[in-house]
Amino acid sequence: MKEKRQDPLGTLRVQIQELILESYPTVEQFCWDKDVPKSTVSNFLNADRDPRFSTIENLAQALGKKIVIRLE
């Protein structure tokens, strides 16, 4: 039986979207308020593109969060 593979970017997408919507009525409002390109955020959240690490850093900073990376 094959082991199910985790999707860390998928998990991160969900976490970031949840954090945005906890504080903003829409992702678009978050982008306007934090001066983050809406297309970049939309492409990431919709899994249209794999983001650059700098994009993830910028989103984390805009959300007041830090990034923790680890291997298990």
Side-chain angles (χ1 to χ4, degrees):
M1 182 154 84
K2 250 186 177 177
E3 185 177 324
K4 189 174 182 181
R5 192 171 173 183
Q6 293 182 356
D7 178 15
L9 279 179
T11 301
L12 186 60
R13 283 182 178 97
V14 170
Q15 289 175 333
I16 288 176
Q17 187 165 26
E18 287 175 351
L19 287 168
I20 290 171
L21 296 177
E22 283 176 10
S23 301
Y24 293 89
T26 65
V27 172
E28 185 174 37
Q29 184 63 45
F30 165 79
C31 293
W32 286 336
D33 188 52
K34 298 298 184 176
D35 197 27
V36 178
K38 183 182 169 203
S39 61
T40 301
V41 176
S42 294
N43 286 336
F44 171 61
L45 293 178
N46 295 324
D48 291 336
R49 289 194 182 147
D50 285 343
R52 292 178 164 195
F53 188 75
S54 61
T55 299
I56 296 170
E57 285 180 307
N58 291 340
L59 289 173
Q61 184 177 17
L63 290 164
K65 299 294 182 181
K66 65 179 184 175
I67 298 170
V68 177
I69 299 174
R70 67 177 187 272
L71 299 174
E72 293 182 344

